[in-house]
Amino acid sequence: MIDVSATDAFHSTWPGATVGVMAIESLENPGSHPALDAEKTRLEVVLRERHAGQTRADLRATPTLAAYERYYRRFGNTYHVRLQLESVALKGKPIASVSALVEAMLMSELETGLLTAIHDLDSIAAPLVIDVARGTETYLTASGRETTLKPDDIFMTDSSDVICSILYGQDARTRVTSETRNALFVVYAPPGIAPAGVEWHLALIDRLVRLESPNATSDRPVLVVAG
């Protein structure tokens, strides 16, 4: 079971927010996999049919994406998963090809709209703590950029440093590589999204990962709900 807790600041600042974590072990992370490629093609068709005739405004108004838009708008930012969904569903572009584990994460985000991070579990030093930024915390993002968190943004640390924030994403230290065999998936849901939706999203990730790693084993998800 993952050792994760939350500060009082998280509970008081974002009541109704949910963070869900799930470890999956005994994985492979190839550059591509036929079963995932087939699932990507299927999902592209489903998303285009689901959102046929809709506009960008229609997407923003859907309950899940609207919850994220409210969160991101508070900081003057735009929810990037919504932009990715626009690209695939409205503009007909393909889902990005990255690595198997990252693609499983991306597909789950596009299917449900929920923001997800993926970390190399063996690079994480427990315990994990969910917190709210004071605006002084800095970390090296996955893109290699030293970044200072915005006040009130939800973020997660391990015993060494920040590993992710909602606005700026994952860190460089714990990012997955082709050598990753054990992974930690984290879903960040702002107020307005039910915990049951987070749990369903993690189950979807588990299913997608097993398309390319059928012998994987997963822990029971842990959900932390603010309030």
Side-chain angles (χ1 to χ4, degrees):
M1 189 69 70
I2 298 299
D3 185 0
V4 57
S5 62
T7 64
D8 291 342
F10 171 68
H11 287 285
S12 62
T13 305
W14 292 104
T18 302
V19 176
V21 300
M22 178 178 65
I24 306 182
E25 301 180 284
S26 301
L27 296 166
E28 300 291 333
N29 191 24
S32 63
H33 191 279
L36 273 179
D37 289 342
E39 183 65 14
K40 278 199 302 181
T41 299
R42 185 201 68 81
L43 181 58
E44 288 167 356
V45 173
V46 168
L47 292 175
R48 289 163 192 158
E49 291 177 348
R50 180 184 300 168
H51 301 290
Q54 292 187 344
T55 65
R56 296 175 65 187
D58 293 328
L59 287 184
R60 286 196 298 270
T62 60
T64 295
L65 295 179
Y68 281 98
E69 292 291 345
R70 288 191 294 270
Y71 183 97
Y72 276 73
R73 192 161 51 242
R74 173 168 173 169
F75 303 97
N77 290 59
T78 300
Y79 185 38
H80 67 277
V81 173
R82 191 256 300 169
L83 298 178
Q84 292 167 348
L85 181 58
E86 287 179 8
S87 177
V88 174
L90 303 186
K91 299 178 183 179
K93 295 183 179 180
I95 297 172
S97 295
V98 198
S99 66
L101 292 179
V102 176
E103 287 178 16
M105 180 192 74
L106 292 175
M107 284 190 280
S108 68
E109 288 183 321
L110 291 171
E111 173 71 26
T112 70
L114 302 189
L115 179 67
T116 310
I118 176 175
H119 304 274
D120 187 301
L121 183 61
D122 297 321
S123 299
I124 289 175
L128 298 173
V129 178
I130 306 159
D131 202 353
V132 173
R134 289 160 290 283
T136 58
E137 304 87 350
T138 63
Y139 73 115
L140 193 67
T141 65
S143 64
R145 181 178 179 180
E146 188 75 22
T147 300
T148 301
L149 299 183
K150 291 186 177 181
D152 291 338
D153 187 20
I154 297 171
F155 72 104
M156 179 178 284
T157 65
D158 67 0
S159 63
S160 296
D161 205 350
V162 176
I163 65 170
C164 191
S165 72
I166 287 188
L167 296 181
Y168 296 116
Q170 302 169 217
D171 70 326
R173 174 173 56 90
T174 69
R175 68 182 184 276
V176 297
T177 71
S178 60
E179 303 302 315
T180 295
R181 295 297 174 263
N182 305 303
L184 181 74
F185 291 88
V186 184
V187 183
Y188 295 90
I193 296 175
V198 174
E199 195 165 20
W200 188 89
H201 179 90
L202 288 169
L204 173 61
I205 290 173
D206 190 52
R207 181 182 71 79
L208 291 172
V209 164
R210 290 174 188 276
L211 292 177
E212 57 88 15
S213 294
N215 296 320
T217 60
S218 55
D219 288 345
R220 183 175 180 177
V222 176
L223 269 59
V224 179
V225 182

